[in-house]
Amino acid sequence: MKKHLLLACLFSCGLSAQAQSCEGGLYLNPEVIRGEGLSQTESAMRDLSDFVRPTGLSVSPILNIRETQEVLTAVKRPTPPCWIYGNPVVGLASGYRPVAVNMEPIQSAVLLLADVGSVKDVKPVELKNLPPDQQAKVLAKLKTTSCFGIKSGVTTSLVKAENLCGTVVEVMPQQGLGQSYLPSKAAFYWQADRWVGLITRLQSAQAATLKSNFGTDERIHMAKLFIVPATNPSWGYGLYVRPDVSADILKKAANQFTSLKTTNAMLLKALDLGTKYGFASPSEVAVQAMKKSLETGS
């Protein structure tokens, strides 16, 4: 009888240990990256939790993260997170399996605040639209220039991987002070004889203007603006799950994202999606290519 009780206890304890192998998830909250306040970040977390819950994945606790080191620390805990929702920088760094990622490509670029020109608040000019000799000059100058980007941001990682800038200064995202802080930081760093780079998405660089920016040098509004795109694009946000999560839950999770068709603005913001998006499960070849694109010096 005692032997049976012992075996039952061991079996029960084993199931309990297996059930507690992971809990909750990590969230690279796009509202934090954008610099929104507490109410917006908490709302986004609730929207993500409600969306993930039907998959069977644990949704308690969900922790906001801001950069890769927080992921590396969390996955080594005795009870690590079951999943991560974020960009490929934090997702792939975890070693977790990418179950569904937004395949709508992200094109990274450096917006260069360059020499003083003759036109105020000039529109940016893409590198490909410059004469060859001027293209060479801009690229050479960029190699000696400091560029500001968001820490663990995919746009920053793509630019770092291609060694486009002389130095990359990574700014930690925080509530009330996200990506919107970068243009101001770059503007105050710029001087007539000192170029500065701002790492962002290509579409944002194309729409950039200095009209609302001020710096230590009043000639900031006369600065020429150049756009230098990174070569390799990235996919967007996605769900990364621990390898030991059951196949049934993995299937439900993949379907929950790949079948998503919504115009709910709040959910789209919580998932960092635009009007165009499409989730898919990337192949191993695609995963390895993405890792290579994000590796510094690749």
Side-chain angles (χ1 to χ4, degrees):
M1 183 68 175
K2 289 183 178 180
K3 182 178 180 181
H4 289 163
L5 287 173
L6 177 61
L7 289 173
C9 179
L10 289 173
F11 180 71
S12 174
C13 291
L15 287 179
S16 176
Q18 184 177 15
Q20 294 299 315
S21 61
C22 69
E23 63 178 13
L26 303 180
Y27 183 25
L28 187 69
N29 197 323
E31 296 286 28
V32 176
I33 306 300
R34 285 188 280 265
E36 299 292 352
L38 184 61
S39 61
Q40 289 95 329
T41 58
E42 290 183 341
S43 176
M45 188 179 293
R46 287 194 299 270
D47 290 336
L48 177 67
S49 175
D50 291 342
F51 185 70
V52 170
R53 186 176 288 108
T55 68
L57 286 168
S58 170
V59 292
S60 180
I62 298 178
L63 303 176
N64 279 332
I65 56 171
R66 296 183 298 166
E67 51 109 8
T68 306
Q69 187 55 53
E70 291 175 290
V71 175
L72 299 178
T73 300
V75 299
K76 293 177 182 177
R77 294 197 306 250
T79 306
C82 298
W83 52 272
I84 298 165
Y85 189 76
N87 67 26
V89 177
V90 299
L92 294 176
S94 68
Y96 284 19
R97 175 181 175 181
V99 171
V101 299
N102 178 21
M103 300 304 292
E104 193 66 25
I106 294 173
Q107 182 67 54
S108 177
V110 178
L111 176 67
L112 264 173
L113 282 61
D115 297 324
V116 173
S118 57
V119 180
K120 186 177 181 181
D121 297 323
V122 67
K123 291 183 178 180
V125 178
E126 290 194 47
L127 184 71
K128 64 183 180 181
N129 295 327
L130 295 173
D133 60 332
Q134 195 169 356
Q135 288 186 32
K137 176 188 174 184
V138 169
L139 288 174
K141 184 70 174 180
L142 183 54
K143 288 287 188 181
T144 65
T145 296
S146 293
C147 299
F148 292 92
I150 291 292
K151 188 173 181 62
S152 296
V154 69
T155 52
T156 303
S157 295
L158 289 169
V159 167
K160 285 179 64 179
E162 293 184 30
N163 296 312
L164 290 178
C165 302
T167 304
V168 174
V169 181
E170 296 184 84
V171 178
M172 183 72 80
Q174 55 185 297
Q175 290 171 345
L177 202 64
Q179 290 168 323
S180 59
Y181 176 55
L182 292 182
S184 296
K185 194 170 184 64
F188 274 94
Y189 183 83
W190 179 88
Q191 293 180 4
D193 59 349
R194 184 173 67 191
W195 294 21
V196 63
L198 169 63
I199 302 173
T200 184
R201 297 189 183 194
L202 178 59
Q203 298 93 324
S204 298
Q206 291 168 334
T209 176
L210 294 176
K211 287 183 179 180
S212 60
N213 289 107
F214 301 93
T216 53
D217 192 319
E218 61 184 14
R219 291 170 291 179
I220 183 67
H221 290 278
M222 303 299 293
K224 298 176 184 176
L225 300 179
F226 300 121
I227 299 173
V228 180
T231 301
N232 297 317
S234 167
W235 61 55
Y237 266 55
L239 180 71
Y240 299 76
V241 178
R242 268 178 64 88
D244 57 358
V245 169
S246 73
D248 180 56
I249 289 180
L250 286 175
K251 184 177 180 180
K252 288 181 180 178
N255 185 65
Q256 179 76 342
F257 283 86
T258 57
S259 64
L260 176 64
K261 293 180 180 178
T262 182
T263 56
N264 183 323
M266 298 304 294
L267 179 58
L268 290 174
K269 290 181 71 175
L271 299 178
D272 197 47
L273 305 178
T275 54
K276 291 177 61 180
Y277 61 88
F279 282 97
S281 299
S283 66
E284 183 58 28
V285 172
V287 171
Q288 293 305 317
M290 188 74 262
K291 287 181 177 179
K292 186 175 181 180
S293 293
L294 296 172
E295 289 175 359
T296 302
S298 63

